[in-house]
């Protein structure tokens, strides 16, 4: 089985790009990744374009072919991947598979989203999503989880706010993050209530943006001096919502176990984690699924400072979705970009000392379909 | 490198299914494939759901997770694949890769489309597709190719009509085909003109429908007695439209060469072909790309009867898109279903004698992006 390496990365600033098309953002990130790898586009053997919303917003979801052609990459397989918030990480997962199958030596994965447009409206899961039409949009769903976690484990509003404060502090050192000014716990708790107990500063903002990762086989990596390798990449989908387990996702725990087992590492080996903090409570739930702390102790872990930069296991030193912004299909790839920067020791002011093993974690899916997908990738240098 | 086998197939009738949802159609095809393989859903290691239009038509394109959950298949990777008319065959391509990467032993590929709905409207490539808004919808684009082929090679209207007549004759023996009554060349030529020279009976009809293929590794195939194997599966994307080669797609020729080379066969070894006859002229163009005849002789080949059932190299014995109907993402999988039936000797009245090697060929993509994807799979028994 061929080991997969990361040879190049690229990312655009996340935020409002009124003047740039979805295609232009993706091409920008892709060009950066090619430059970073020092590879010509002609070396790319397969291309993945991840995007979640263009079908709904722009009536077009077959964009990858044109984007790769604009990058000067032609006559290769190009695939469009849509998996809600895990679109980018699902594409990453498939690209790893293509290299491991020895189908290609080099794969380029692009993820891009354009959300800051008038037709964006309220994000739900389509016309068939009656729950969403009745108000069960993502903040409401996560607020119910937060309430349950508070009830079962005594998690506090202050502990949840600590996640938002930490990630905003991290974002100060990340030039691509959307929100980079620090906030206090008081400000987080006093910001407008979206769905009790989640205030606005505990909900990730939408954004336009793109990210790219160039993957390669071991032999290409050796020639190019690429050192960051993929120990495991997991995608796990499944239904999760049942009244009795609102405070945990079975699939999240299962995905984490699989990712650790395939990688041959455990949570104790991780030097940093990028996880899917779409809402403050989500990061706390993921701490528990990822085994960073026992079940029910995620709130205390957040408040302890252990997951802050300089702590025992820094989480979301990029600023996370809460501060960086969440351009859906770019997010999962941006997490890998952050890990690669850290593992290469190139993260400047936000560099985690002696970072050798990192984990990227994403979740996404329909509320309507009552299922979620979790992706987890363990990278090492 | 592990060989990939086809262990099960399923297909719904193609046509108008006013009373059945996209999800229900996909589940139906999936259940058939599981029954056909004699496998439990719990054996599935990865799931692909191909669909092209649900994002645009229903505002929801993350449907796979819910569909696999409805099949009782849970806690596995599920991916949604969108590649226009090659959505289904792209998913098939990725599923082969997953098995060859030894990621899983069994993969289920579903393709479904629901097009017979009021909001379907005119099929084009999105709001950014200015060419389409100006009238360059698929029939117009293919009509220009037909005109060029007539000009360059002397191809006649009668030769093009022969494709439609042949495929309708084939469809009589296929219970899932939408149009099963025979037509004459006169009727084809006298049907309403859509885009000169293409009359209505030379344009494939839209349809609702679903198809499923269950793929497995060699070791599972041995235990289940599955005999149909995948010799090669190719996806080739690229820009193609330039004024000087309207009568051929470079990518089509390139894809065919790659598919034959990987499979270790040539066109002379094929016993049957299912190809993407979205328009009569398309089948003629594909004859040439696939090497069934020299460049420019596709029209004569169609008129000669060699590509009819009982001829030298039968093409679209299923009835093709022209008669079966074209539910976009189901089409590529339906072609594989037809090949599997034929190679297993289970195609009843339309059985091709001693069928040992078959090729499935699909094309799709944005007109706007000026690119197309071609997929080719060679199967053998």
């Amino acid at each position: 089985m061929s080991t997969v390496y990361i040879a190049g990365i690229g990312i655009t600033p996340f935020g409002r790009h009124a003047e740039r098309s979805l295609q232009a953002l993706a091409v920008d990130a892709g060009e950066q990744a090619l430059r970073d790898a020092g590879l010509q586009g002609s070396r790319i053997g397969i291309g993945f374009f991840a995007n979640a919303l263009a079908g709904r917003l722009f009536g077009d979801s077959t964009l990858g072919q044109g984007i790769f052609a604009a990058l000067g990459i032609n006559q290769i397989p190009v695939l469009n991947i849509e998996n809600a918030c895990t679109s980018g990480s699902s594409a990453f997962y498939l690209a790893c598979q293509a290299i491991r199958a020895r189908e290609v030596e080099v794969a380029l994965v692009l993820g891009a989203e354009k959300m800051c447009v008038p037709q964006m409206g309220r994000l739900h899961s389509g016309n068939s999503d009656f729950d969403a039409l009745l108000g069960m949009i993502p903040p409401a769903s996560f607020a119910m989880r937060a309430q349950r976690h508070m009830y079962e484990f005594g998690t506090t509003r202050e502990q949840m706010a600590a996640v938002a404060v930490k990630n905003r502090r991290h974002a100060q050192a990340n030039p691509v993050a959307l929100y980079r000014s620090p906030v206090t716990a008081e400000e987080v708790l006093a910001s407008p209530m979206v769905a009790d107990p989640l205030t606005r500063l505990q909900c990730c903002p939408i954004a336009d943006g793109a990210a790219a990762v160039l993957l390669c086989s071991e032999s290409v990596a050796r020639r190019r001096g690429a050192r960051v390798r993929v120990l495991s990449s997991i995608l796990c989908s499944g239904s999760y919502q049942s009244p009795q387990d609102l405070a945990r996702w079975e699939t999240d725990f299962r995905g984490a176990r699989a990712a650790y087992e395939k990688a041959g590492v455990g949570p104790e080996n991780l030097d940093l984690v990028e996880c899917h903090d779409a809402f403050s409570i989500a990061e706390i739930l993921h701490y528990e699924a990822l085994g960073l702390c026992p079940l029910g102790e995620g709130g205390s872990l957040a408040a302890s400072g252990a997951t802050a930069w300089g702590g025992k296991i820094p989480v979301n030193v990029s600023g996370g979705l809460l501060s960086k912004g969440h351009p859906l299909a770019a997010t999962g790839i941006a997490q890998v970009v952050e890990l690669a920067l850290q593992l290469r020791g190139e993260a400047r002011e936000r560099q985690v000392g002696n970072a050798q093993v990192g984990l990227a974690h994403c979740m996404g899916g329909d509320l309507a379909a009552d299922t979620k997908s979790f992706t987890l990738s363990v990278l090492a240098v």
Side-chain angles (χ1 to χ4, degrees), chain A:
Chain A
M1 202 55 64
S2 176
T3 304
V4 179
Y5 283 76
I6 293 177
I9 52 178
I11 192 164
T12 70
F14 285 6
R16 181 186 289 272
H17 289 282
E19 75 300 348
R20 301 178 76 190
S21 69
L22 182 61
Q23 287 89 336
L25 291 167
V27 166
D28 180 353
E31 284 175 344
Q32 289 181 44
L34 287 165
R35 264 201 310 277
D36 181 47
L39 281 173
Q40 301 290 321
S42 57
R43 295 294 307 279
I44 308 297
I46 192 168
F48 291 90
F49 176 65
N51 171 267
L53 296 174
R56 199 183 308 179
L57 298 180
F58 310 114
D60 196 351
S61 47
T62 314
L63 296 169
Q65 282 72 13
I67 288 167
F68 276 85
L71 278 164
I73 301 169
N74 232 317
Q75 309 296 337
I76 62 162
V78 173
L79 294 132
N80 299 291
I81 305 298
E82 207 284 276
N83 249 5
C85 302
T86 51
S87 296
S89 48
S90 294
F92 179 83
Y93 163 83
L94 289 171
C96 290
Q97 222 160 77
I99 292 173
R100 284 207 303 272
R102 300 188 189 280
E103 184 81 15
V104 298
E105 292 242 73
V106 184
L108 180 56
V109 187
L110 304 176
E113 210 71 58
K114 197 154 164 79
M115 304 170 81
C116 303
V117 291
Q119 66 269 40
M120 178 64 196
R122 188 180 59 174
L123 183 61
H124 63 81
S125 314
N127 303 329
S128 59
D129 185 351
F130 296 114
D131 286 346
L133 296 173
L134 292 169
M136 184 54 89
I137 57 173
S141 155
F142 279 82
M144 287 171 65
R145 296 183 174 279
Q147 294 286 0
R148 184 71 200 177
H149 210 269
M150 293 164 79
Y151 173 80
E152 267 192 58
F153 304 118
T155 303
T156 66
R157 289 165 191 267
E158 289 70 24
Q159 289 171 340
M160 288 186 264
V163 172
V165 171
K166 164 182 74 72
N167 290 353
R168 191 63 84 84
R169 194 163 64 238
H170 289 165
Q172 289 178 85
N174 187 356
V176 305
L178 170 56
Y179 293 132
R180 293 194 293 271
S181 48
V183 291
T184 63
E186 293 67 34
E187 287 169 327
V188 170
L189 292 170
S191 67
M193 185 60 73
V194 175
D196 193 21
L198 300 175
T199 58
R200 190 164 67 194
L201 289 173
Q202 296 177 68
C203 304
C204 71
I206 64 169
D208 306 332
V213 171
L214 201 150
L215 297 170
C216 70
S217 67
E218 190 158 4
S219 62
V220 173
R222 206 171 301 124
R223 290 198 298 276
R224 314 290 328 164
R227 297 180 306 121
V228 177
R229 65 187 194 282
V230 182
L231 298 185
S232 68
S233 179
I234 292 293
L235 166 60
C236 191
S237 308
S239 54
Y240 69 95
Q241 283 185 325
S242 58
Q244 65 274 28
D245 67 357
L246 266 181
R248 75 216 67 153
W249 288 284
E250 181 204 345
T251 320
D252 204 4
F253 284 78
R254 189 187 288 255
R257 280 197 302 273
Y260 289 135
E261 192 186 309
K262 278 215 178 187
V265 303
E268 67 283 2
N269 303 113
L270 300 178
D271 297 309
L272 78 158
V273 168
E274 288 284 306
C275 92
H276 200 263
D277 60 326
F279 302 92
S280 56
I281 182 63
E283 183 167 313
I284 288 172
L285 293 169
H286 299 321
Y287 289 164
E288 301 175 5
L290 295 173
L292 306 186
C293 66
L295 184 67
E297 296 181 18
S300 324
L301 186 70
S304 76
T307 57
W309 188 88
K312 185 160 165 273
I313 173 65
V315 176
N316 286 325
V317 289
S318 69
L321 283 59
L322 283 171
S323 300
K324 228 171 25 187
H326 182 25
L328 307 187
T331 287
I333 300 175
Q335 293 178 326
V336 173
V337 167
E338 178 68 20
L339 291 188
L341 275 177
Q342 294 280 352
L343 295 173
R344 282 158 36 166
E346 299 171 4
R348 300 170 187 252
E349 312 93 89
R350 67 183 190 282
Q351 180 66 45
V352 172
N354 196 28
Q356 308 240 322
V357 183
L359 181 143
H361 164 283
C362 239
M363 69 176 289
D366 267 4
L367 291 172
D370 216 23
T371 54
K372 279 270 179 289
S373 288
F374 291 85
T375 56
L376 299 102
S377 295
V378 181
L379 274 59
V381 73

